[in-house]
Amino acid sequence: MLRTHRVLYSQAGPSSGDWQPLNFDGEAFHLKGTGELARALLVLRLCAWPPLVTHGLALQAWSQRLLGSRLSGALLRASVYGQFVAGETQEEVEGCVRQLQALGLRPLLAVPTEEEPDSAAQTGEAWYEGNLDAMLRCVDLSRGLPESPDLAGKTLMQLKVTALASTRLCKDLTSWITKPGVSSELSPERLAEAMDSGQNLQVSCLNTEQNQHLQASLSRLNQVAQYARDQQVRLLVDAEYTFINPALSLLVAALAVRWNSPREGGPWVWNTYQAYLKDTHERLRRDAEAAHRAGLAFGVKLVRGAYLEKERKVSQLQGTEDPTQPDYEATSRSYSRCLESMLSLVSHHGPMCHLMVASHNEESVRQATKRMWELGIPLDGPVCFGQLLGMCDHVSLALGQAGYMVYKSIPYGCLKEVIPYLIRRAQENRSVLQGARREQALLSRELWRRLLGRAE
Ligand SMILES: Cc1cc2nc3c(=O)[nH]c(=O)nc-3n(C[C@H](O)[C@H](O)[C@H](O)COP(=O)(O)OP(=O)(O)OC[C@H]3O[C@@H](n4cnc5c(N)ncnc54)[C@H](O)[C@@H]3O)c2cc1C
């Protein structure tokens, strides 16, 4: 059951002494080599150039034809792949993790699954079963990563539901569960029971084939959760598009019934909340209350949201209301409100409630650290921070050096699979890459300082 841990926190927390605002002025870059800083500057400048992101896949194919796959591969490894990806082999991933740990940062591995290919419908379950193997290997890899004695903490990894269940199924389930009055057939408890028993679930809105796929998907999700629980790895489930998110949340709620119960000790399956959606704060409040009522632990990854352009395009095409906030400022206000609510929950419910502040935004990170101090939440407690590998190191390093738990989301895998994934993520996060100007300015200033041999 959720209990109040506030008193404990105010004794053990960071609230002794004054709150020191973190400095995101690039001071922490002194921890990085000149080569790394130069590559980061070059790659971030290239990624902020819209034609490169828009035509990334075509340019890659063209460079392969012109330079041959070896040379073009070497160029990518020295630039984009090297900046944003841990590597391909276990040794390469471990090497990357050791470098992060030396800087006070932790790994959050992510299997870079692309959107379900058109052929998935024809290959039946095989594509999803292949992804299941990749997820189980990711659990193994996460568990087996070297641990730094100074950085003991929780092991986390990301999970994308649409790698294990088809987008089509999630879309159909979403249309069904968002209809008023028809959702009782699809309660989290019923799905959890089907996951556990392996008995065939029959849902009236689905045809025989879809019911079979649902059963197979539930079994895959449960296998990953069970294995992750055994290996002490927490699963952070990604949020995707609004036309499938309700189904994803239902599946996460079913996993939570089984894996976030008090006897399991702490949330093993977390959901992601996207502040750019108008209804997110309300959903977060409702879900937290439901978890509290059911005596379940509650884990949240809080993000602004990555699919803005597509969400707006879809609502425009369908003539429906745009589900996203009207502008960037409204999204930031929503993020701040969700953050405040979650931190207050954490301060009241302690280890039963966990939060990842997944943002590169300096203001959001500052707000989180200040409120953690005011609420007496310890730095090594249930609140952590998340940023992408190769992005906003000035924020991650400053947080890590100040003793906060910071995870870098790390994709890994072979060049051929990861580059299309990276290009698509860059297209989705165009505004973020273009907004990385401050990071570029800080990198450039540090490089000039080194070049001129100036000690500041
Ligand atoms: C560890 C980690 C995990 C993540 N997991 C997910 C996930 O599961 N699902 C997901 O969707 N995203 C995920 N993201 C991406 C995230 O949602 C953001 O796209 C990204 O972090 C940029 O937001 P920010 O707060 O870091 O930076 P900022 O630069 O402060 O914010 C940029 C964001 O603001 C919003 N925005 C920009 N312009 C407008 C506008 N005109 N109107 C309204 N809103 C606007 C968009 O959400 C945009 O991404 C993850 C990010 C991290 C670091």
Side-chain angles (χ1 to χ4, degrees):
M1 290 288 153
L2 298 180
R3 265 180 285 128
T4 300
H5 286 260
R6 193 161 178 186
V7 177
L8 195 148
Y9 280 1
S10 24
Q11 286 163 359
S15 48
S16 47
D18 287 341
W19 177 69
Q20 296 293 333
L22 286 180
N23 217 341
F24 299 130
D25 60 0
E27 151 84 17
F29 281 148
H30 74 268
L31 295 164
K32 298 206 105 186
T34 304
E36 285 174 289
L37 296 181
R39 182 185 65 192
L41 181 60
L42 174 77
V43 171
L44 289 177
R45 285 225 163 122
L46 285 174
C47 291
W49 193 46
L52 197 77
V53 174
T54 308
H55 306 293
L57 278 175
L59 284 169
Q60 190 212 352
W62 178 80
S63 92
Q64 237 176 27
R65 271 200 306 275
L66 199 74
L67 306 172
S69 51
R70 225 185 221 186
L71 188 54
S72 120
L75 277 175
L76 283 170
R77 277 179 186 280
S79 56
V80 183
Y81 182 92
Q83 177 70 13
F84 297 120
V85 184
E88 187 173 340
T89 62
Q90 182 164 345
E91 290 69 37
E92 284 170 347
V93 176
E94 284 177 0
C96 170
V97 169
R98 276 202 195 89
Q99 279 179 5
L100 289 180
Q101 286 174 335
L103 299 169
L105 309 175
R106 297 167 164 82
L108 170 68
L109 293 189
V111 178
T113 0
E114 260 301 89
E115 311 270 299
E116 158 195 337
D118 292 339
S119 60
Q122 285 125 44
T123 53
E125 299 293 331
W127 189 73
Y128 304 101
E129 289 294 322
N131 290 338
L132 168 65
D133 289 343
M135 294 294 176
L136 296 175
R137 280 199 305 273
C138 186
V139 174
D140 274 335
L141 190 51
S142 300
R143 184 68 256 161
L145 287 174
E147 270 190 30
S148 154
D150 314 331
L151 293 178
K154 294 167 198 79
T155 307
L156 315 176
M157 71 170 250
Q158 278 177 255
L159 173 81
K160 201 170 168 191
V161 170
T162 51
L164 303 176
S166 76
T167 304
R168 178 67 206 271
L169 174 72
C170 297
K171 215 168 157 179
D172 289 348
L173 287 177
T174 295
S175 350
W176 184 248
I177 54 186
T178 47
K179 271 191 203 143
V182 294
S183 54
S184 59
E185 201 187 343
L186 278 165
S187 68
E189 291 73 20
R190 192 165 175 237
L191 294 188
E193 209 181 294
M195 271 179 187
D196 245 1
S197 66
Q199 274 168 10
N200 267 353
L201 183 74
Q202 290 301 320
V203 178
S204 61
C205 66
L206 303 177
N207 63 29
T208 313
E209 202 182 317
Q210 279 177 314
N211 268 310
Q212 281 168 357
H213 179 55
L214 173 63
Q215 189 61 49
S217 304
L218 289 174
S219 156
R220 280 188 284 268
L221 284 164
N222 201 40
Q223 278 183 67
V224 179
Q226 176 157 24
Y227 192 54
R229 169 69 187 90
D230 290 348
Q231 300 299 317
Q232 305 277 302
V233 176
R234 283 156 210 263
L235 294 177
L236 274 56
V237 178
D238 287 347
E240 303 181 42
Y241 301 99
T242 46
F243 62 83
I244 55 169
N245 277 343
L248 306 189
S249 292
L250 173 70
L251 295 168
V252 175
L255 287 169
V257 168
R258 176 65 185 87
W259 300 106
N260 292 351
S261 67
R263 80 188 142 104
E264 297 296 342
W268 292 98
V269 183
W270 306 20
N271 204 357
T272 297
Y273 292 79
Q274 298 157 313
Y276 71 1
L277 298 177
K278 289 174 186 156
D279 66 349
T280 292
H281 185 263
E282 180 51 25
R283 259 189 315 111
L284 186 59
R285 195 189 58 75
R286 266 200 329 258
D287 292 355
E289 262 179 30
H292 182 57
R293 269 199 312 276
L296 300 174
F298 188 52
V300 166
K301 164 154 66 85
L302 183 61
V303 301
R304 274 184 168 70
Y307 309 104
L308 187 73
E309 283 179 28
K310 238 187 210 166
E311 289 287 0
R312 288 182 174 170
K313 220 177 262 171
V314 169
S315 65
Q316 211 172 9
L317 275 173
Q318 295 179 341
T320 49
E321 191 198 330
D322 178 358
T324 64
Q325 298 286 356
D327 51 37
Y328 176 71
E329 288 70 28
T331 294
S332 289
R333 280 196 298 277
S334 161
Y335 194 93
S336 167
R337 205 166 157 226
C338 295
L339 183 57
E340 182 58 41
S341 300
M342 274 310 296
L343 289 172
S344 152
L345 274 178
V346 168
S347 80
H348 281 96
H349 301 309
M352 288 294 274
C353 194
H354 284 228
L355 169 68
M356 172 179 275
V357 182
S359 174
H360 308 99
N361 184 292
E362 293 177 19
E363 270 319 299
S364 301
V365 169
R366 230 177 244 124
Q367 179 191 349
T369 56
K370 184 157 191 278
R371 292 296 289 144
M372 282 171 73
W373 180 79
E374 286 168 352
L375 295 164
I377 299 172
L379 307 198
D380 58 354
V383 177
C384 62
F385 293 82
Q387 282 107 35
L388 305 178
L389 183 71
M391 293 274 300
C392 281
D393 280 349
H394 62 294
V395 175
S396 314
L397 291 172
L399 278 168
Q401 292 301 301
Y404 292 89
M405 291 202 290
V406 191
Y407 289 81
K408 285 296 229 184
S409 169
I410 305 181
Y412 62 94
C414 69
L415 202 69
K416 203 170 118 229
E417 281 166 13
V418 179
I419 291 295
Y421 165 88
L422 280 183
I423 291 172
R424 212 171 304 261
R425 294 294 92 81
Q427 287 167 353
E428 282 158 3
N429 288 295
R430 215 180 274 271
S431 70
V432 183
L433 288 165
Q434 278 165 18
R437 298 233 159 75
R438 181 168 147 72
E439 190 179 1
Q440 290 175 39
L442 294 174
L443 284 164
S444 174
R445 193 184 68 183
E446 175 66 14
L447 282 167
W448 276 111
R449 192 187 66 76
R450 290 187 191 186
L451 204 67
L452 301 175
R454 255 194 257 139
E456 274 173 18

